[in-house]
Amino acid sequence: MPLAPPASAASGGSRQTLLVLTTLRVSLHVMFAFLLIFGAVLALVGSVYQPRHTAIGVLTLTLGAIYLAGTVYEKRRGLPQRLRLAGFPLASGGTLPFSPAHLWLLVITGLWLALMCLDSSFTWAVFPVMFLYLHLLRPLAGVLATGALCLLAVALPLVGPAGFGLARLRAEGLTPGYLVGPTLGAMLAVVISFTYRALRQDAAHQFRLAEQLRAVQAELAQQQYRAGKIAERERLAREIHDTLAQGLSSIVLVSRAASNALESGDTALGRERLQVIEQSASTNLAEARRFIHDLASPALDSSVVGALSSLVASTQATQQAAGLDFRCSLTVDGDESAVNRLPEPIASTLVRVAQGALANVAAHSQASQAVMTLSLWPGEVALDVCDNGVGFDVRALSPVTDKAEVALAEGSTGYGLISLTARVDQVGGTLNIESSPGAGTALSVRLPVEGVLAAPASGGNYDC
């Protein structure tokens, strides 16, 4: 029961503090055992047997056994909950908390007093008992109890049943050692006990801080995990929207046109449109396979310019297969080799933005012509997509990141502008849209690139 650091402190305090606490606790037990055995030896060895020697032996063994039982019980199982026993009224109307540890301490004290009444050799065993009172009681109560034990340790050897007696005290006077020894021991016990209490509180405080830190770290990890899940879902949504969803939409559109051609008896046109469906399905199958493996675009296997050219050509073929008079072209202003050396995130963003922009043109603009321009500037690459379609009110899309407004502007199925904006933001670029009803639409994207591009040079025109 005495001087055992709480389990919480033992698991969270610093190693140095815990080492000091453990050393103090073990030292107390060793000191009690040594002083008890030392007192028994002085009382029993070197004197003629007397009946009281049997009582000294029994009491010594009983005291040692009870002390050991209490410390082992506390170490292995911990202290029971406090009990409230009758007979200890308080001014507040409650009762004085009284635990089995206090009962154990009273038994230890009673046995020590019994030994002192039989032989004053057990005087020094009072010092470990002082530590117990200082540890188990409140600070003030512990100090008062220590003072009382000190008085008993001074008085019993002088005037107790086994003491020297008042006659000898009058004849020889009071030896200073009888006063200095117990008093100095009591003072030292108080100082060490308060030091132990401060170290124990510090260890408990460190444990609480460590627990709070672990809780904060766990919460932070959980938040990061949730944020990662949300970011991954958004990324997958953009990938699916920019690849499979748009490809499937084109297949549905062309399949309707092919069905109309076959119903009208134009098998040649129907066969041509079926070929477009087959090509679009093959492209989307390749996208799906690469999406499963590494989420990169198959169009980037060759070059950025080649990927954009394929997008322009496939968009024009799909629209024409659907029976629309539509032309699409790509113009590159600058060094194509520099474009093909763009970092993968920039190149992938350009291709995905181009896919989304052309998909919006095909789905919403009702345009007959679209022009894509890729421009190279020092430290920047620009992609512009313009069409001559019906246009729309740009103010309805402000801010672009408002999903509700974008969905209304794009007809409740729109996720395209949200996806484009998110992609551009990820690489630190900017996206601007200029449009008005009846005047077409112009989408412009600027992406920062350093150490790759040169000033614009004569490029190529890819008119499909």
Side-chain angles (χ1 to χ4, degrees), residues 306-327:
L308 296 180
S309 300
S310 298
L311 285 175
V312 168
S314 63
T315 301
Q316 177 174 300
T318 300
Q319 292 295 91
Q320 291 179 352
L324 302 175
D325 182 16
F326 181 80
R327 293 187 60 82

Side-chain angles (χ1 to χ4, degrees), residues 37 39 107 124 221 302 326 335 367 374 382-383 396 409 447 463:
I37 295 173
V107 172
W124 307 107
S302 56
F326 181 80
D335 185 2
L374 181 63
L383 180 68
L447 304 180
D463 191 350

Side-chain angles (χ1 to χ4, degrees), residues 195-208:
T195 302
Y196 177 88
R197 188 186 298 269
L199 291 174
R200 193 168 182 267
Q201 291 175 351
D202 178 69
H205 177 67
Q206 292 178 15
F207 170 77
R208 288 191 295 270

Side-chain angles (χ1 to χ4, degrees), residues 26 74 80 178 218 243 267 276 315 386 416 420 428 431 442 457:
V26 173
E74 184 273 340
Y178 289 115
T243 56
T267 57
V276 174
T315 301
C386 304
L420 295 181
L431 183 146

